[in-house]
Amino acid sequence: MKRTSLAAVAAGVQRTELREFDLPEATEDSGLLRIETVGVCGTDVSYYKKSQSPRILGHHIVGFIERVGEKAAARWGVKEGDRVALEEYIPCGQCSFCRIGMYRSCPSTDPRTGGIRYGATPVDRQPSLWGGFSEFMYLHPNSVLHAMPEHVLPEEAALTLPLANGFEWMLLQGGVGPGKTVVIQGPGQQGLACTLAAKAAGAECVIVTGRSTSMKRLELSRRLGADHIVNIQAESLEDRVHEITGGRMADVVIDVTSGGSEPVISSVAAAGRGGMVMFGAYKYTKIPEFDIDSVITKTLQLKGVRGHSYTSVQMAVDFIASGKFPLRIMNSHDFALEETDLALKTAGGEGEPGPLLVTVSPGKKR
């Protein structure tokens, strides 16, 4: 077999370069993944635009077990040749967060404090192959894997982690179910995932919001099950939700927009009495105009949400495998490994036009 792996390394601000890395030696407790496809996430784009130590990005990973040690195979329940989806977290397994199943909060998964995570760990940490934009990737002993059925299309399999966030936030954290009205602020990858999850949970009414520049994604949300779309630049969200619900307003609101304080304010305004308002995207700013009195008046629950659990990832895999929704329509661009730079630019709105779900497939020929 090959002794090296070609990988696209984020080596500077908005710059990737192809490098060869030696494949790690086999051990009883680890493995090697041959990458099939990787979804390009907004987190990848944000890393790509920063000045930082070189690293291989990409963490929405699907691939095949190329090599696996005996102990690792028994722990993961896999054999060589199996197809899997990989979580980005590499938890310690011993801390209090891991013990209660919240391993996404395990300090060992945070590269900012010396932890390791797929798609975010510098290449100077051996064995370097910590990201999906590569032919092969190292499987750490604490990796978290999920079996991916063979019949699932690669571009649909790459949606596993975004959809897992949708199920985590809508079902497990938000309690969405039959009879509920849901407002989803932002029709990006996470917003579309929440749309799918809310409809799969049986929500009676799903309303997706966006700006004029997002009309293509808003229309896509309709095809994925949204009952109403709202262009917030053309109409008031509060007024529109009042009209749609007959004044009852929304049971659950989630803001997954990338910036600005306005969606935070309008999310609270769109929620009905006793409702829940969730925030799933960093704003990197303070919000001085926030009206806490309306939170008290309407007895709202405010909740920050981040990432997924093992349960929600498995829910996403099962949902994708069911074929009940036309998930392939979310994939707008698929690039070869050598085109990773263009893939990141496209996902960030600066490359090819009309990006939805962008993927990189290392085995694809240009």
Side-chain angles (χ1 to χ4, degrees):
M1 76 174 271
K2 286 189 64 175
R3 304 301 303 171
T4 62
S5 176
L6 190 66
V9 178
V13 178
Q14 291 194 285
R15 180 174 64 87
T16 64
E17 59 184 41
L18 293 176
R19 297 185 189 177
E20 289 252 25
F21 294 90
D22 291 333
L23 293 180
E25 294 296 323
T27 71
E28 288 189 351
D29 214 26
S30 62
L32 192 68
L33 190 73
R34 175 167 54 86
I35 306 297
E36 180 182 21
T37 193
V38 187
V40 182
C41 174
T43 302
D44 297 319
V45 175
S46 67
Y47 272 122
Y48 174 66
K49 293 181 176 181
K50 292 178 182 177
S51 176
Q52 61 195 335
S53 53
R55 63 199 65 200
I56 304 168
L57 302 177
H59 61 279
H60 292 178
I61 299 162
V62 180
F64 298 91
I65 302 292
E66 182 76 9
R67 196 168 65 203
V68 64
E70 185 176 344
K71 289 183 179 179
R75 184 190 315 110
W76 296 328
V78 300
K79 62 183 183 303
E80 291 180 359
D82 282 357
R83 191 187 194 206
V84 298
L86 190 73
E87 295 194 36
E88 71 270 45
Y89 308 122
I90 306 176
C92 73
Q94 301 299 319
C95 70
S96 59
F97 292 108
C98 287
R99 292 299 191 188
I100 62 172
M102 283 190 62
Y103 52 82
R104 63 187 178 275
S105 295
C106 170
S108 294
T109 70
D110 190 348
R112 295 169 297 184
T113 56
I116 50 177
R117 181 181 298 186
Y118 288 118
T121 301
V123 295
D124 60 9
R125 181 155 186 164
Q126 295 301 311
S128 300
L129 297 172
W130 297 104
F133 299 148
S134 177
E135 292 177 309
F136 295 92
M137 197 178 73
Y138 172 64
L139 291 176
H140 185 280
N142 291 355
S143 298
V144 184
L145 313 179
H146 296 258
M148 177 58 64
E150 293 291 336
H151 73 271
V152 175
L153 295 173
E155 61 267 29
E156 295 186 348
L159 283 163
T160 299
L161 295 192
L163 277 173
N165 288 350
F167 280 108
E168 181 73 29
W169 303 345
M170 292 288 95
L171 277 74
L172 302 184
Q173 301 295 323
V176 172
K180 298 290 187 179
T181 294
V182 180
V183 171
I184 299 166
Q185 295 253 55
Q189 197 172 123
Q190 302 294 350
L192 294 174
C194 288
T195 301
L196 286 162
K199 293 306 291 186
E204 179 178 331
C205 179
V206 174
I207 304 164
V208 182
T209 80
R211 302 172 70 83
S212 300
T213 54
S214 301
M215 287 308 299
K216 183 176 179 181
R217 290 174 182 252
L218 285 172
E219 290 299 337
L220 176 60
S221 74
R222 278 192 187 275
R223 297 174 66 188
L224 295 173
D227 299 285
H228 302 274
I229 59 175
V230 179
N231 180 346
I232 59 170
Q233 289 182 294
E235 52 189 334
S236 161
L237 175 61
E238 183 177 4
D239 291 347
R240 188 75 180 98
V241 174
H242 188 279
E243 176 187 354
I244 291 169
T245 63
R248 189 170 59 87
M249 309 304 285
D251 299 293
V252 176
V253 183
I254 186 165
D255 173 16
V256 287
T257 60
S258 57
S261 60
E262 193 283 329
V264 175
I265 306 305
S266 60
S267 292
V268 171
R273 290 182 178 272
M276 178 182 289
V277 181
M278 295 186 286
F279 303 101
Y282 290 102
K283 301 300 184 182
Y284 303 106
T285 186
K286 306 298 182 184
I287 305 176
E289 64 270 38
F290 186 81
D291 181 12
I292 191 63
D293 290 350
S294 66
V295 175
I296 298 170
T297 299
K298 294 197 284 186
T299 60
L300 299 179
Q301 297 181 62
L302 304 186
K303 193 167 194 173
V305 290
R306 182 179 68 85
H308 44 259
S309 61
Y310 188 91
T311 298
S312 60
V313 177
Q314 195 55 51
M315 292 170 73
V317 171
D318 295 342
F319 176 82
I320 294 168
S322 74
K324 292 180 179 178
F325 283 77
L327 301 181
R328 65 180 63 86
I329 67 176
M330 295 177 67
N331 184 238
S332 60
H333 299 79
D334 183 48
F335 295 96
L337 180 62
E338 295 82 359
E339 301 171 308
T340 298
D341 203 76
L342 180 57
L344 287 160
K345 284 182 169 62
T346 299
E350 299 176 356
E352 294 190 359
L356 297 171
L357 170 67
V358 177
T359 50
V360 172
S361 299
K364 181 177 181 177
K365 302 300 180 183
R366 283 198 292 179

